[in-house]
Amino acid sequence: MGRSLTRGALIVTGLLGGMLFAAARAQTPAPLAGVWSLNRAQSEFPTDIGFNPEWMTAASTGDGQRGSTGRRRRRWPRTPWIGRRRRGGAVSAKPESYEDARRAQVLTAEVRAPAVRLMIVDTQSAVTMTNELGQSRTVHPDGRQESIEIQGLVFSVTSKRDGNQLTIDYRVDQNREIRYTYAATATPSQLVVYVQFLDHGKGDNARRIYEPGTSMTTAAPAAAAPGAVPAVPGQPASDSFDQRPGAELKGLTTLGILVETLSPQAIACGLAQSGIEDALAKRLTSGGFTVRRNSDEDTYVYVNIMSTSLPSGMCASRYDTFLYTHATAKLSYREGPVLVQVSLMHRGGIGTSAPTAHSAAVVRGLEGYVDLFVTQIHDANK
């Protein structure tokens, strides 16, 4: 009886979710583009939404709600799973990389604390979403997997359109992902965001409702540049600047490259400063950039590597790649503007391998990061 009720509840939940988007699609189509504000009163905020620990899933039977004793299992706060239950009842740890755990934490935190304000730029080939903190994210809804960076982590993302809906899947690991479905309705004018945690295809979900907000550009003077900040009545007009996502990368055609001097440990592990510079300069040149070697003037790629030799004889390196530029800024504790260094992009990783293969492994990682820089710059200049 208990299992039937549980299954019935799951079926009803699924039907409600399907009815929600069927109703949204039946209404007059409305574009996703615009500025949207979160309506907390109409939105859902489950306190324990997230991925179930794997050992809980393994301990349950059939519907995942009752254990072998027939009693309803206790509901625990949802965290990234850490282990798997054996037949004898013991828990055996399932390997999970640090990056997979961080991906789950970052995405779960975003679901639990959603953007209060969203500005969406929706074109045929790309959709860019910017939150109230100015953080932007661009996806290309062609059904192909792409990589994007969130808080220094690289995520595999797949997005596609289905009529008036946009679905974005963020992959955490082989079996887990978080799916966002965006649907705009005209009557009432709303942006409905449906979020699902998918662990082997099923999991928690929540619904968020956004309503039209005030456009950030409608009050701008007619002669203002695209993306200029509108003047606020009663206050001095601020300097105009381009607010469009990726604006800081537009117009880049020349890049410097600077590889930090390597330590004796890095050299002992087979790394060579000139070889790294040659490999990365080749990638930038292939990407259509004019490259200035050993230069930190204007905008440049900076590479820093820290290496050590392990007792086992293996080599371990932390390697980071930055895209830096310089700009003038007015600081609160200075009267006039000063020159500051600005980090436009950053990628980093850790690798461990035998000394004979270490250099090639590190260079491959750095080349991958530089390729991502090139792709993002090209996308911003389309």
Side-chain angles (χ1 to χ4, degrees):
M1 179 65 177
R3 290 188 182 180
S4 298
L5 290 174
T6 300
R7 288 172 180 163
L10 290 175
I11 292 172
V12 170
T13 301
L15 288 174
L16 287 175
M19 291 170 63
L20 166 68
F21 285 100
R25 295 180 65 181
Q27 297 180 16
T28 303
L32 299 180
V35 179
W36 304 93
S37 296
L38 179 66
N39 185 326
R40 299 189 68 88
Q42 295 185 20
S43 300
E44 300 171 352
F45 292 89
T47 57
D48 58 352
I49 191 169
F51 291 110
N52 261 331
E54 179 72 4
W55 57 267
M56 289 185 181
T57 305
S60 61
T61 61
D63 56 11
Q65 297 296 318
R66 293 177 181 271
S68 58
T69 61
R71 295 176 294 178
R72 184 173 296 278
R73 65 175 173 84
R74 180 179 177 183
R75 191 172 181 84
W76 296 81
R78 305 295 179 87
T79 56
W81 53 263
I82 56 176
R84 176 176 295 168
R85 183 173 294 279
R86 297 178 185 268
R87 288 185 179 180
V91 176
S92 63
K94 179 178 178 64
E96 181 181 34
S97 70
Y98 170 78
E99 288 198 352
D100 285 347
R102 283 285 296 135
R103 289 189 187 96
Q105 292 168 0
V106 167
L107 292 180
T108 300
E110 285 192 346
V111 174
R112 294 178 179 176
V116 176
R117 185 178 175 88
L118 274 178
M119 182 177 70
I120 301 180
V121 179
D122 189 359
T123 66
Q124 185 176 0
S125 60
V127 179
T128 299
M129 301 184 184
T130 306
N131 63 15
E132 69 276 8
L133 302 177
Q135 299 167 330
S136 294
R137 191 172 304 168
T138 300
V139 298
H140 302 84
D142 54 10
R144 300 177 183 178
Q145 183 173 291
E146 59 182 323
S147 297
I148 65 173
E149 182 179 355
I150 306 173
Q151 297 187 25
L153 294 170
V154 179
F155 288 81
S156 294
V157 177
T158 304
S159 57
K160 61 182 179 180
R161 298 184 191 273
D162 181 9
N164 196 40
Q165 296 182 24
L166 171 69
T167 300
I168 305 176
D169 290 338
Y170 296 87
R171 185 173 180 179
V172 175
D173 56 32
Q174 183 176 359
N175 298 311
R176 294 181 297 171
E177 61 184 22
I178 294 180
R179 175 173 297 165
Y180 282 78
T181 304
Y182 299 81
T185 64
T187 308
S189 181
Q190 290 181 337
L191 175 69
V192 182
V193 182
Y194 191 63
V195 190
Q196 297 172 284
F197 283 78
L198 300 177
D199 188 345
H200 293 80
K202 59 183 179 180
D204 295 344
N205 57 71
R207 184 190 66 175
R208 305 285 156 69
I209 301 296
Y210 287 82
E211 296 179 338
T214 303
S215 174
M216 290 184 283
T217 59
T218 54
V229 178
V232 178
Q235 296 184 11
S238 60
D239 293 336
S240 62
F241 64 94
D242 194 339
Q243 294 185 88
R244 291 172 297 177
E248 72 280 6
L249 303 177
K250 292 182 181 296
L252 275 178
T253 58
T254 301
L255 293 173
I257 183 169
L258 180 64
V259 179
E260 189 63 58
T261 302
L262 299 176
S263 66
Q265 293 91 335
I267 296 174
C269 286
L271 295 169
Q273 186 172 349
S274 60
I276 295 171
E277 183 179 286
D278 290 342
L280 301 187
K282 182 178 179 180
R283 298 299 248 221
L284 293 173
T285 302
S286 299
F289 294 94
T290 300
V291 179
R292 300 188 308 270
R293 291 172 177 263
N294 195 29
S295 172
D296 59 356
E297 297 177 2
D298 199 6
T299 306
Y300 64 102
V301 174
Y302 172 74
V303 178
N304 185 47
I305 303 172
M306 295 181 290
S307 302
T308 186
S309 297
L310 303 178
S312 62
M314 303 285 281
C315 289
S317 291
R318 167 76 196 194
Y319 46 92
D320 290 270
T321 308
F322 299 83
L323 181 62
Y324 281 131
T325 193
H326 300 95
T328 56
K330 178 67 172 64
L331 305 178
S332 61
Y333 51 88
R334 293 289 301 269
E335 292 184 1
V338 296
L339 184 66
V340 296
Q341 180 173 267
V342 180
S343 176
L344 300 178
M345 286 188 278
H346 166 242
R347 294 289 171 90
I350 298 176
T352 304
S353 55
T356 53
H358 194 64
S359 177
V362 171
V363 170
R364 280 197 303 271
L366 292 172
E367 288 176 334
Y369 295 152
V370 168
D371 288 344
L372 288 173
F373 287 1
V374 171
T375 299
Q376 288 189 246
I377 295 172
H378 285 171
D379 288 345
N381 283 276
K382 288 181 179 179

